[in-house]
Amino acid sequence: MIRFYIFLRTFGRTMRVLIINTSERTGGAAVAAHRLMEALNNNGVKVKMLVRDKETNHLSVVALPKSWRLHWNFLWERFCVWLHLHLRRPHLFDIDIANTGTDITKLREFQEADVIHLHWVNQGMLSLRNIRKILDSGKHVVWTMHDIWPATAICHLTLDCRRFETTCQQCRLLPGGGSANDLSTKVWHRKQQMLEGQRITFVACSRWLSEEARKSALLKGQTITSVPNPIDTRLYHPLGKQKAREELGLPTDGRLILFVSQRATNPYKGMQYLEEACQWLVRQYPDMIKNTHIAILGGHAEEVTSQLPFESHPLGYVNNEQQIVKVYNAADVFVLPSLSENLPNTIMEAMACGIPSIGFRIGGIPEEIDHLENGYVADYRDAVDLAKGIRWALDEADTEAVRKACLKKVARHYSQQSVAMHYIEVYEAALRPKEMKKN
């Protein structure tokens, strides 16, 4: 805290930050932004959160003024994307063009803030024109990247595409693979115009994403750093396994594999690889079928259970965090076979409960999982290696040593205080040049 108090004495008052995110609690970015707000407020910064979709009575969270335009903005952008997709639904929510949104610069919360901290602002929250107006206001802007969208034209997942390193065009998400002057190219140029002559501090939630962002021609010359998301270890912590299972109605005997996704059928979350891994385990170790269960937390969970060889328990979508903590604590291992990830909150949540995680070597997952210490990093898209990781966690690893390694990693890197201090340094760096000029 010493650096922050020096900062306060230098500039004479408590720093005010406005966090902006489309939703208050729905989605990984919303959860991370909400946690950051609480972490900063608990560490001496005055923070409010501005959202389109307010879901709680939290006093520090402010909703956009109610208007018919809020819903219309969302529908209009989706309609425009749908037209460019030739009236087809695939990729309808994989693309964001930010062609409509709300001007927030006249709001009292905006005018009082020293730092405007953007997070996930898609689906009608802010347009590119709105963001340019924020930049033109002279406010210091920090933008946390929860995915690659700020560094590309229209996509949130690049997968194997590297066009953002030069100019987005011939987009794989558009019909026929796009063209040399397709929607992605047009939005790319609009983003260039938005950023022209402006400075933003971009913060990636993982070192992997920060390296990807630095390769983007769109962000050339911008400040890019990395700070992980925080987690409240007062809420996410180890509980009794047996009691958690009893309260959730899960089997109290045997081992439990956990899969978590907002939508279990999302192909990018890799359920198909978990299915293949479990089938391989049954073939190699037939006795596992007698004492191994799978719990699936997320929407549409009941749609995937029939493909799994182990007794499965669909828990559905849950947004009560106390219940979610119980789910993690009921498990013996958490598996996230995602095909693309930044720094998943779910792995952090599992580890904070002392539960080892298994995931592919992709994105920021290897930064969270220390291989064979607090979990297992499997080769990308390799279901057999994923299965070996599950086997390691259930039958080979020292359970107590792994539990301690999980808790140590979370305390050192993802605690509220640790992440808040990192962000205070980011804000300080963004604010100091202009404040020093005034003096």
Side-chain angles (χ1 to χ4, degrees):
M1 293 291 287
I2 294 174
R3 285 179 60 86
F4 182 53
Y5 290 129
I6 292 173
F7 178 83
L8 287 183
R9 286 200 298 270
T10 302
F11 299 116
R13 62 176 177 79
T14 302
M15 178 168 40
R16 295 172 181 265
V17 176
L18 181 63
I19 287 176
I20 301 172
N21 198 78
T22 302
S23 172
E24 179 185 359
R25 301 303 294 268
T26 301
V31 170
H34 199 278
R35 288 175 180 171
L36 178 60
M37 176 189 68
E38 294 183 334
L40 289 166
N41 278 326
N42 290 337
N43 283 275
V45 184
K46 205 163 189 176
V47 185
K48 287 188 177 181
M49 185 173 175
L50 177 66
V51 300
R52 184 193 67 194
D53 306 327
K54 182 172 167 65
E55 300 162 78
T56 73
N57 294 321
H58 201 298
L59 295 177
S60 294
V61 180
V62 180
L64 288 175
K66 289 189 179 297
S67 166
W68 61 270
R69 288 187 59 88
L70 295 183
H71 192 53
W72 170 252
N73 287 343
F74 168 77
L75 293 175
W76 176 248
E77 186 188 26
R78 287 311 102 196
F79 179 71
C80 293
V81 171
W82 188 52
L83 288 180
H84 281 93
L85 292 175
H86 297 174
L87 312 186
R88 296 173 184 171
R89 285 188 60 84
H91 304 310
L92 181 59
F93 288 94
D94 296 335
I95 292 172
D96 275 296
I97 59 177
N99 64 334
T100 185
T102 300
D103 178 8
I104 66 169
T105 59
K106 292 182 175 60
L107 298 179
R108 178 172 57 85
E109 290 79 12
F110 179 90
Q111 294 174 355
E112 291 177 347
D114 300 303
V115 177
I116 304 302
H117 191 160
L118 306 180
H119 283 255
W120 202 88
V121 294
N122 299 114
Q123 296 191 1
M125 176 70 183
L126 295 180
S127 69
L128 300 182
R129 184 175 297 176
N130 296 148
I131 297 172
R132 177 66 194 206
K133 194 165 184 179
I134 291 170
L135 296 172
D136 286 340
S137 74
K139 295 284 187 179
H140 306 272
V141 178
V142 173
W143 193 340
T144 290
M145 300 175 60
H146 293 279
D147 56 43
I148 197 70
W149 185 82
T152 69
I154 62 177
C155 74
H156 296 271
L157 301 175
T158 55
L159 297 179
D160 297 327
C161 177
R162 309 304 301 174
R163 296 190 186 279
F164 70 95
E165 296 181 8
T166 51
T167 301
C168 283
Q169 58 183 340
Q170 297 176 316
C171 182
R172 64 181 176 82
L173 299 175
L174 298 173
S179 65
N181 190 34
D182 60 17
L183 178 65
S184 68
T185 310
K186 292 173 183 174
V187 176
W188 176 274
H189 291 313
R190 290 173 199 155
K191 283 189 172 182
Q192 283 183 318
Q193 292 169 4
M194 176 190 76
L195 293 170
E196 186 177 3
Q198 299 288 350
R199 302 289 295 178
I200 298 178
T201 300
F202 288 92
V203 181
C205 298
S206 66
R207 294 190 299 274
W208 165 79
L209 185 57
S210 68
E211 289 303 313
E212 288 292 280
R214 289 189 183 99
K215 296 172 186 174
S216 169
L218 192 63
L219 303 189
K220 187 176 181 180
Q222 299 289 347
T223 300
I224 301 170
T225 187
S226 65
V227 180
N229 295 325
I231 189 168
D232 187 351
T233 51
R234 296 167 301 179
L235 175 61
Y236 287 86
H237 60 86
L239 301 171
K241 190 181 300 293
Q242 292 300 106
K243 185 178 180 182
R245 291 188 182 185
E246 288 173 4
E247 292 181 0
L248 293 167
L250 294 170
T252 55
D253 58 341
R255 293 92 58 84
L256 187 67
I257 300 167
L258 175 64
F259 174 88
V260 177
S261 175
Q262 187 175 353
R263 179 167 58 88
T265 53
N266 183 343
Y268 294 121
K269 293 300 179 181
M271 171 55 76
Q272 65 272 31
Y273 291 96
L274 178 57
E275 293 169 2
E276 289 181 36
C278 290
Q279 296 289 355
W280 185 88
L281 286 169
V282 168
R283 291 194 298 271
Q284 297 296 316
Y285 309 100
D287 287 346
M288 285 186 68
I289 205 164
K290 300 176 185 176
N291 64 357
T292 307
H293 309 271
I294 296 180
I296 303 168
L297 179 64
H300 304 276
E302 67 285 350
E303 296 177 24
V304 299
T305 56
S306 62
Q307 306 299 318
L308 295 162
F310 300 124
E311 182 180 322
S312 301
H313 306 270
L315 302 176
Y317 179 78
V318 176
N319 59 10
N320 180 294
E321 285 197 287
Q322 284 78 15
Q323 284 293 101
I324 293 171
V325 172
K326 290 178 186 177
V327 173
Y328 283 117
N329 275 279
D332 293 288
V333 60
F334 170 59
V335 184
L336 183 67
S338 292
L339 304 185
S340 180
E341 283 288 354
N342 184 7
L343 196 78
N345 291 325
T346 50
I347 288 179
M348 196 182 301
E349 291 163 356
M351 292 197 335
C353 296
I355 308 303
S357 297
I358 317 296
F360 286 138
R361 187 174 288 105
I362 188 68
I365 288 178
E367 297 172 33
E368 290 182 288
I369 301 176
D370 300 314
H371 188 56
L372 298 180
E373 291 184 23
N374 56 33
Y376 189 101
V377 182
D379 291 336
Y380 188 52
R381 294 179 182 259
D382 189 334
V384 173
D385 201 22
L386 192 72
K388 290 178 180 178
I390 296 171
R391 180 71 180 180
W392 171 82
L394 293 179
D395 294 297
E396 300 169 10
D398 182 329
T399 303
E400 183 58 21
V402 169
R403 187 186 74 86
K404 289 180 178 179
C406 287
L407 300 178
K408 183 178 179 181
K409 180 67 176 277
V410 169
R412 180 171 294 180
H413 296 281
Y414 310 130
S415 69
Q416 281 195 344
Q417 185 175 16
S418 172
V419 174
M421 292 303 103
H422 279 300
Y423 266 109
I424 287 169
E425 291 178 357
V426 169
Y427 298 149
E428 180 183 12
L431 281 166
R432 189 175 294 277
K434 288 189 178 182
E435 294 288 353
M436 294 300 287
K437 287 176 184 176
K438 291 178 183 178
N439 294 331

